[in-house]
Amino acid sequence: MKDRKYISSFVGTIKSDRYLMSKIFKENFPNSYFTTTQTNWGNPMNQVIKPDMLYDIYNQSIFVVNGRGNVSLDCFRIYEGIVAGAIPVIVGDMNEIEKTFDYNNDMPIFIIGKDWNDAMLQCKELLKDIDKLQEFQNKNKEWWKRNICLIQNNIKALL
């Protein structure tokens, strides 16, 4: 975690709370990577930021900020960030967060703010504790492996 190039990153479309999210994080973490673009779901290779580029950006980021999508807080960006070793940052009501992300009583670790300023302040505080950041990253990688294995085993059991 200590060798990452960016403090925070975001690649996506500006909607809902994402303008404020981007403004707060870019102002407070100048060494961040923010690209706003329209998503082309028809062909990922026609994206402005290609999938391999996206992985590299998130792999060089400590935090991946994730504003609300069209319907919920859930978004591929969260899982892309976890796979790349970044820590997702979200803002929302704890009831909604638990309902959305509690996978069999096994939630990944997020930075959860009551608003984007609170989330940014939590990130600033965590930057002072590289061991804690590394612990969060390790726990999220373990969470990912557990859940991928669970899905694979469930599919195998159905076959």
Side-chain angles (χ1 to χ4, degrees):
M1 290 300 264
K2 65 181 176 57
D3 297 326
R4 293 189 174 227
K5 182 177 180 179
Y6 307 117
I7 298 296
S8 64
S9 63
F10 172 81
V11 175
T13 304
I14 292 295
K15 55 184 158 187
S16 190
D17 64 338
R18 293 177 181 179
Y19 174 77
L20 181 59
M21 168 196 80
S22 297
K23 182 178 182 322
I24 288 172
F25 273 77
K26 285 192 289 189
E27 286 175 357
N28 286 279
F29 302 117
N31 56 334
S32 291
Y33 187 98
F34 278 72
T35 295
T36 55
T37 179
Q38 289 294 342
T39 304
N40 181 341
W41 293 110
N43 183 349
M45 296 316 292
N46 287 340
Q47 301 279 36
V48 173
I49 303 293
K50 309 281 186 272
D52 59 332
M53 294 167 58
L54 183 68
Y55 176 84
D56 290 341
I57 292 164
Y58 291 165
N59 188 250
Q60 288 299 314
S61 302
I62 295 173
F63 303 108
V64 172
V65 294
N66 188 66
R68 182 172 292 284
N70 291 326
V71 177
S72 75
L73 291 172
D74 203 4
C75 177
F76 281 122
R77 186 176 305 101
I78 290 169
Y79 310 103
E80 292 163 342
I82 288 172
V83 167
I87 301 166
V89 180
I90 59 176
V91 166
D93 173 79
M94 277 310 294
N95 289 329
E96 179 184 11
I97 291 168
E98 288 172 356
K99 181 180 175 187
T100 304
F101 299 108
D102 186 3
Y103 305 104
N104 299 311
N105 295 315
D106 188 15
M107 276 183 55
I109 294 180
F110 301 119
I111 307 305
I112 301 170
K114 64 179 183 232
D115 57 40
W116 285 111
N117 196 57
D118 177 51
M120 178 274 301
L121 291 172
Q122 287 184 54
C123 290
K124 271 193 175 186
E125 192 61 32
L126 266 171
L127 288 171
K128 298 174 188 175
D129 190 347
I130 196 71
D131 292 333
K132 189 71 149 174
L133 287 170
Q134 190 62 56
E135 177 187 333
F136 284 7
Q137 180 192 59
N138 294 344
K139 286 184 176 184
N140 275 346
K141 285 191 179 234
E142 291 166 11
W143 173 87
W144 180 258
K145 288 178 188 173
R146 271 192 314 275
N147 281 278
I148 289 299
C149 286
L150 176 65
I151 292 166
Q152 288 172 334
N153 289 337
N154 286 340
I155 291 170
K156 284 179 189 174
L158 291 172
L159 297 177

